[in-house]
Amino acid sequence: MKPLAQALHGPPQTIVFSCPIYLLPPSHSISLLQNRRISRIFCSSKTIEEKGSKPDYKPGILDHFFMNSFRNKLVKEVGCDSAKPGYDGLIELAKALMMNSRSNSHTKDAAVRILKSLFPPFLLELYKILIAPIDGGKVAAMMVARVTVLTCQWLMGTSTVNSVDLPDGTSCSSGVFVERCKYLEESKCVGICINTCKLPTQSFFKDCMGVPLVMEPNFSDYSCQVNPGSLPRYL
């Protein structure tokens, strides 16, 4: 597997980040792009204001397993690996996924493939056919919320199940509230949040598992409300 810096080596080209917020300290940017010449990068100077202290989430043994599994799938999709260990390397790979994509749609499709590869194909189909229709989708949405909290806090940070309003006017304890999303905070890029997390996650759950889902990231305080069972207002 080629190092990320070598894989990104190539002729000068124009790279457009479709994110209104892209905040990387120069030293961090150089580690990712040191061997790649870039003619122009279009980014806004708007910043995300940091508020309060970070919630303290201690990863466990299973969290390390989930992170390594996710990273391995990401490496296969990107075609190279980062020299950085742990979460820092994961974020660098996510940035590479954005940079290597021809469009936002291409990035989203790649992220959906990564999510699908984490599950046995028959499991997704069975869930969509057998679980998703039960009680108008409420059971499936509640299961998604609880599994998300159990398996994804290593990625998002401290998260809890909460109650959300469903399209039929009822409420259900099928939501997930992320206190301060680690993925957004570490990437510091709205484009990475939207194109490698929000949109692909919404598409994955709706198309592959039959569970409509809305993610509502807050770019002011890094929180995120995840609403399984709700339809997105737009894609």
Side-chain angles (χ1 to χ4, degrees):
M1 187 66 65
K2 295 181 293 183
L4 182 59
Q6 293 180 10
L8 292 179
H9 180 71
Q13 58 182 288
T14 298
I15 298 177
V16 179
F17 287 102
S18 57
C19 56
I21 304 171
Y22 193 89
L23 308 172
L24 288 176
S27 60
H28 192 88
S29 301
I30 291 172
S31 69
L32 177 67
L33 306 174
Q34 55 186 341
N35 288 331
R36 187 171 193 166
R37 290 176 292 162
I38 302 174
S39 55
R40 287 181 298 174
I41 297 179
F42 295 91
C43 293
S44 167
S45 60
K46 185 179 179 181
T47 63
I48 300 177
E49 181 183 356
E50 294 192 16
K51 298 179 180 180
S53 59
K54 299 180 182 180
D56 186 20
Y57 176 74
K58 306 276 187 195
I61 296 176
L62 285 179
D63 291 308
H64 292 298
F65 169 77
F66 292 138
M67 182 173 69
N68 289 335
S69 298
F70 185 79
R71 177 169 177 154
N72 289 337
K73 300 298 185 180
L74 187 53
V75 165
K76 289 181 180 178
E77 184 66 40
V78 173
C80 54
D81 199 357
S82 169
K84 295 183 178 181
Y87 205 91
D88 289 340
L90 188 76
I91 293 298
E92 192 166 77
L93 285 166
K95 292 172 182 174
L97 184 68
M98 280 275 292
M99 292 177 61
N100 290 344
S101 297
R102 298 185 298 271
S103 65
N104 291 341
S105 178
H106 186 263
T107 302
K108 187 191 82 168
D109 291 344
V112 170
R113 286 195 298 271
I114 292 170
L115 292 174
K116 289 176 67 175
S117 70
L118 293 169
F119 298 85
F122 69 88
L123 181 61
L124 298 177
E125 287 298 324
L126 288 176
Y127 195 91
K128 186 174 183 178
I129 295 171
L130 301 178
I131 306 299
I134 299 175
D135 195 17
K138 290 183 180 180
V139 172
M142 291 174 66
M143 289 177 64
V144 166
R146 282 149 181 79
V147 171
T148 297
V149 169
L150 287 173
T151 62
C152 296
Q153 292 194 70
W154 67 267
L155 178 64
M156 305 182 302
T158 302
S159 309
T160 54
V161 174
N162 64 357
S163 180
V164 298
D165 296 328
L166 299 180
D168 63 4
T170 63
S171 61
C172 182
S173 59
S174 60
V176 175
F177 180 69
V178 183
E179 293 182 24
R180 193 179 180 99
C181 181
K182 185 176 181 179
Y183 190 70
L184 175 60
E185 186 167 21
E186 295 297 327
S187 68
K188 295 181 174 63
C189 179
V190 171
I192 288 178
C193 169
I194 297 297
N195 296 305
T196 71
C197 183
K198 174 182 165 63
L199 294 182
T201 300
Q202 291 178 172
S203 295
F204 168 76
F205 279 103
K206 181 176 181 295
D207 298 335
C208 301
M209 298 184 68
V211 181
L213 181 143
V214 175
M215 298 185 73
E216 299 176 339
N218 185 320
F219 301 120
S220 296
D221 62 6
Y222 296 109
S223 68
C224 185
Q225 177 64 47
V226 185
N227 299 331
S230 299
L231 290 168
R233 298 185 185 92
Y234 59 89
L235 294 177

